[in-house]
Amino acid sequence: MKRNWGREYPDTIFHTLPALSFTNFDGQTVAFPASDTTINIVHLCYSKDGSFSKLMMDNVQGLSDRFQENPLINFYSISVDPSENQESLAAFVKPYKGLQRGHWKVVFGPSSDIFSYAKDQLLIDAMVDPADSTRFLISNQFVLLDSKRRIRGFYDVSQKGEVDRLEDEVKLLVVEEIRNRPAKIAQK
């Protein structure tokens, strides 16, 4: 809170995301965003795209490897294809080993329209390709969410410096989360 002439007002207003449920490639229901104690990195993908979505998944793989020991960080790769199923998504994620650790979730089949959710809530682009209705156009950005489901930043995956900046800001958010949690003192 900021004070100005005796009045208090918030100095920053963040956009907060509502919860959704998805299905992962194993058929399990996944809540998004995760619990109120995790930092989430989100991006959209399209499993039938062998170039751009693969680049995004490769970047998530690298980030997932760097943060593999930190339980405060979750990664979400959300498929925008409404015809997606478990088999096609499982084939798409087969080369990625970070999925076995449990903090990277590749999901599909949202409980609401993913295109409107991406536009109105995640504030990134996703749409059906006007030239070919069987393909999709997706944003090239990662979205960073804090533990209160607030958007903290957007990062362009096509620029190496942006992925490095995302990694640095995730580290800062982890420190902020640890600092904001009160220490638990064991009683004898």
Side-chain angles (χ1 to χ4, degrees):
M1 297 299 268
K2 280 187 118 169
R3 288 186 74 97
N4 190 11
W5 293 86
R7 291 189 178 167
E8 288 187 354
Y9 56 92
D11 53 343
T12 305
I13 298 174
F14 292 101
H15 179 73
T16 305
L17 295 178
L20 268 184
S21 62
F22 291 95
T23 305
N24 71 359
F25 66 96
D26 288 333
Q28 301 168 341
T29 302
V30 175
F32 171 79
S35 70
D36 61 352
T37 60
T38 61
I39 297 163
N40 301 292
I41 295 123
V42 185
H43 75 95
L44 301 176
C45 65
Y46 174 49
S47 65
K48 294 174 185 76
D49 176 24
S51 58
F52 182 68
S53 287
K54 184 177 178 343
L55 170 69
M56 293 187 82
M57 296 292 281
D58 290 343
N59 280 315
V60 174
Q61 175 74 48
L63 288 168
S64 174
D65 288 345
R66 285 192 281 289
F67 293 114
Q68 68 183 344
E69 299 299 323
N70 195 331
L72 293 177
I73 302 168
N74 281 329
F75 298 91
Y76 287 90
S77 301
I78 302 173
S79 175
V80 297
D81 189 354
S83 66
E84 192 76 70
N85 59 39
Q86 278 181 254
E87 293 79 28
S88 64
L89 196 59
F92 177 65
V93 301
K94 194 172 188 171
Y96 302 102
K97 62 180 169 113
L99 294 165
Q100 285 78 27
R101 288 191 283 275
H103 68 259
W104 181 11
K105 296 156 182 70
V106 180
V107 296
F108 70 98
S111 56
S112 69
D113 180 28
I114 190 62
F115 298 113
S116 63
Y117 188 82
K119 178 183 168 211
D120 299 334
Q121 300 302 326
L122 289 173
L123 308 177
I124 56 178
D125 294 325
M127 67 181 93
V128 177
D129 187 351
D132 181 4
S133 64
T134 62
R135 299 187 50 81
F136 302 95
L137 303 175
I138 56 174
S139 174
N140 64 340
Q141 296 185 340
F142 288 130
V143 181
L144 177 62
L145 305 173
D146 66 10
S147 65
K148 294 178 178 72
R149 299 187 301 181
R150 301 177 298 194
I151 293 178
R152 297 296 289 263
F154 298 93
Y155 307 88
D156 186 349
V157 72
S158 61
Q159 298 178 5
K160 173 67 174 138
E162 286 289 292
V163 176
D164 293 339
R165 187 171 70 95
L166 169 61
E167 184 177 346
D168 291 341
E169 291 189 18
V170 166
K171 292 174 186 175
L172 287 174
L173 262 181
V174 168
V175 170
E176 181 180 313
E177 289 297 321
I178 292 170
R179 189 176 295 150
N180 288 338
R181 290 185 187 168
K184 296 182 181 177
I185 300 172
Q187 301 218 352
K188 292 184 180 184

